[in-house]
Amino acid sequence: MTLTLKASKTSPPIAALLSAEHLKGIVDVKVQWESNTSLEVNSTSFSTNASICRYLSRVGSSEGLYGTSALERTEVDHWLEFGNGRLTCASDFPAALEYLDHVLGPVTYLVGHRVTLADFAVWGALRGSSQWASLMLSGTAPVNVHRYYDYLEHQEKFLAVDKMVPPVKPADGAESK
Amino acid sequence: SNSCPPTLSQKRESTSGAVIDEIIEDVVITANPSSPPLSLFVLYQLLQQQLRTVGSMHVHSSVTSVPENLKVFQNGFQSNRRDYQLAITLIWKNVNHGPELMVNPHKQSPVQGEGNMARYLARLLSPGYDSVDPITATEIDVFVDIATNQLLHGNSKEKAAALRGLNSKLGSSSWLVGSDLSLADIVVWSALQQTGQAGGAPANVQKWIKACNNNFAFKLALSVMS
């Protein structure tokens, strides 16, 4: 059965797109660009990045994208909330980024030793953030987050999604170094 | 009613009466006394039915004092820790972005937010809330997100919109997801009670709140409310 992920053109659900990309061959998802994001399953409709990620990863649970233990799953939930919440809130962004930089110091992935929905949510939020684009452009992005962002960006599936989404305009006043 | 919600408390099967899951878990929850995560107390009661569970409470030095209603789990560890499968330690502290949940300090940084704390505790119940079908589990998660993002932390417009959505859903159903109490009801109820939105809620929501209040598992949480 093919699922159709309707993806918003103006506000692309990057985490959901990453989930679909990582589940290729396991869960059949067709991406359709529309004005609003939604995934319809039977008589239910999921419209948030987080809920779409959760649903798809549960259907394709063999891939372990939601974590492999109760604790890992809850850590993923923490990052789904953070990525779709604090990291997308303009006023909270600087503090959220500082916290993220601290957490990323000793690790490669946010949860466990492999990519999960947590990374989709956080990387997706950064990719869609004009504040992040501005920091990258001016060369002042925090070290650990920068490393993490670049590392994931170069992975094949992240590259594929990166190409689907237009670049974000840096926040006003950003200067190129 | 005293019925246990099927999605949260199906009894573990054991062959000889011996406990087959030797879970030794220590869960530490750090919460701000100005916003007690009421869902913790509901889930605690549900967990007590499933596992040998004990709770203890501490007050961090950053807090001068806590009111009597927050002095829960006073019995604490009165016997051997090994007698219990699950120990929950609650620390009242001036924490930001809380409550915080820690299970394994060597393998995690703190998990933040009441929704996520509740999800973890619900995963300890058998079957856990997300071991049902993907649609039901995700529908529950949608309501947990509504509870935290809109009801607890949203602006007045977002809160009002969420209440209208709840009222609409509860017009055609007694519970938020499926045909019985689930984690969705517990966390949404907690958010409404904490933010004082219960009293002025629309009719269907009021009826549902009453049903929650009458459920045995909400007794401790109700006693924590000031």
Side-chain angles (χ1 to χ4, degrees), chain A residues 100-145:
Chain A
L100 179 62
D101 193 61
H102 176 75
V103 170
L104 284 171
V107 300
T108 304
Y109 300 104
L110 283 168
V111 179
H113 302 296
R114 34 129 336 132
V115 83
T116 61
L117 301 181
D119 303 299
F120 300 165
V122 171
W123 189 90
L126 294 170
R127 173 62 174 79
S129 163
S130 58
Q131 286 164 287
W132 176 250
S134 168
L135 291 172
M136 289 287 272
L137 194 62
S138 61
T140 55
V143 164
N144 298 316
V145 185

Side-chain angles (χ1 to χ4, degrees), chain A residues 31-60:
Chain A
V31 177
Q32 203 170 284
W33 293 96
E34 304 263 346
S35 43
N36 293 310
T37 293
S38 73
L39 182 82
E40 275 159 36
V41 189
N42 299 349
S43 53
T44 311
S45 179
F46 297 119
S47 59
T48 63
N49 233 342
S51 58
I52 295 169
C53 286
R54 287 186 168 111
Y55 176 74
L56 291 176
S57 68
R58 282 169 169 145
V59 173

Side-chain angles (χ1 to χ4, degrees), chain A residues 13-36:
Chain A
I14 301 172
L17 292 166
L18 284 165
S19 299
E21 190 66 29
H22 281 76
L23 288 165
K24 265 192 175 155
I26 313 287
V27 184
D28 199 4
V29 182
K30 188 182 82 179
V31 177
Q32 203 170 284
W33 293 96
E34 304 263 346
S35 43
N36 293 310

Side-chain angles (χ1 to χ4, degrees), chain B residues 41-107:
Chain B
F41 307 107
V42 180
L43 290 161
Y44 180 82
Q45 282 196 249
L46 291 169
L47 282 162
Q48 277 189 311
Q49 291 199 298
Q50 296 271 319
L51 302 168
R52 294 189 303 279
T53 304
V54 68
S56 66
M57 181 217 74
H58 304 275
V59 180
H60 186 263
S61 55
S62 61
V63 174
T64 35
S65 68
V66 292
E68 287 308 304
N69 56 298
L70 295 188
K71 291 180 182 171
V72 290
F73 307 147
Q74 288 293 66
N75 296 328
F77 298 100
Q78 288 187 331
S79 49
N80 201 322
R81 168 68 187 89
R82 294 288 304 191
D83 290 343
Y84 300 102
Q85 292 170 295
L86 172 63
I88 295 181
T89 303
L90 171 61
I91 302 173
W92 294 118
K93 182 182 178 184
N94 277 330
V95 60
N96 293 323
H97 308 296
E100 287 191 345
L101 174 118
M102 277 296 250
V103 176
N104 190 336
H106 301 296
K107 281 190 177 176

